[in-house]
Amino acid sequence: MSFRCRGQALLPEGLTLERIEHAGDLLVAVACSQCPTSICPVCGCRSGQIHGRYERRLGDLPAHGLGVQTRLQVRHFRCRGDNCPRRIFAERLDKEIVQPWGRRSARLQEIVHLVALMLERGEIWLSRWI
């Protein structure tokens, strides 16, 4: 299957697209944060000293008729605070991108939340789709 799209349009603002991989009926967007520094969640000191990286996999909104998964490269930083008990911390991303420990992008999570509220209020009748 051949397709063309503007890759950056797949991602929430604040992320840089490194590459897009096509795996069957899934688009995998590999991305990282644009910010060169991060703030320690305990003491509030800003650090730019990278300790390591790990990968988060987030479900995201579909695009071009395909499912989208975002593989987010998250960095660990060394805390520069002298009295901070936390020496290593993971960068916190904007809540418009993903909640801490979230498995879905913020925009997908918002849609799931709204659908759940509509189901709770009885505004969606599942019998139509069953």
Side-chain angles (χ1 to χ4, degrees):
M1 176 180 186
S2 177
F3 62 93
R4 299 188 75 161
C5 71
R6 197 173 56 103
Q8 194 64 36
L10 292 173
L11 298 173
E13 196 171 317
L15 297 178
T16 300
L17 182 67
E18 292 184 355
R19 67 183 180 277
I20 297 176
E21 300 170 358
H22 185 233
D25 60 349
L26 186 69
L27 289 177
V28 179
V30 180
C32 62
S33 172
Q34 293 175 346
C35 188
T37 62
S38 190
I39 296 173
C40 175
V42 175
C43 70
C45 286
R46 184 170 294 279
S47 176
Q49 187 177 6
I50 297 172
H51 174 70
R53 300 179 197 289
Y54 73 98
E55 183 177 275
R56 288 181 70 178
R57 293 174 185 238
L58 306 175
D60 208 343
L61 295 175
H64 306 282
L66 299 170
V68 175
Q69 180 185 71
T70 301
R71 286 188 2 214
L72 193 55
Q73 306 295 316
V74 180
R75 297 167 294 179
H76 281 134
F77 288 90
R78 292 187 188 276
C79 182
R80 301 179 66 105
D82 294 332
N83 297 324
C84 184
R86 182 161 304 170
R87 288 288 163 224
I88 307 294
F89 64 93
E91 68 182 316
R92 299 285 194 242
L93 298 168
D94 191 315
K95 291 187 182 192
E96 296 295 317
I97 297 172
V98 65
Q99 294 289 326
W101 302 286
R103 304 291 288 162
R104 299 180 190 108
S105 68
R107 58 192 182 180
L108 177 59
Q109 181 59 40
E110 183 177 356
I111 290 172
V112 169
H113 177 76
L114 291 173
V115 168
L117 287 176
M118 291 169 67
L119 283 169
E120 182 180 68
R121 293 180 185 153
E123 294 175 15
I124 295 178
W125 295 97
L126 290 177
S127 60
R128 186 182 326 172
W129 293 287
I130 296 177

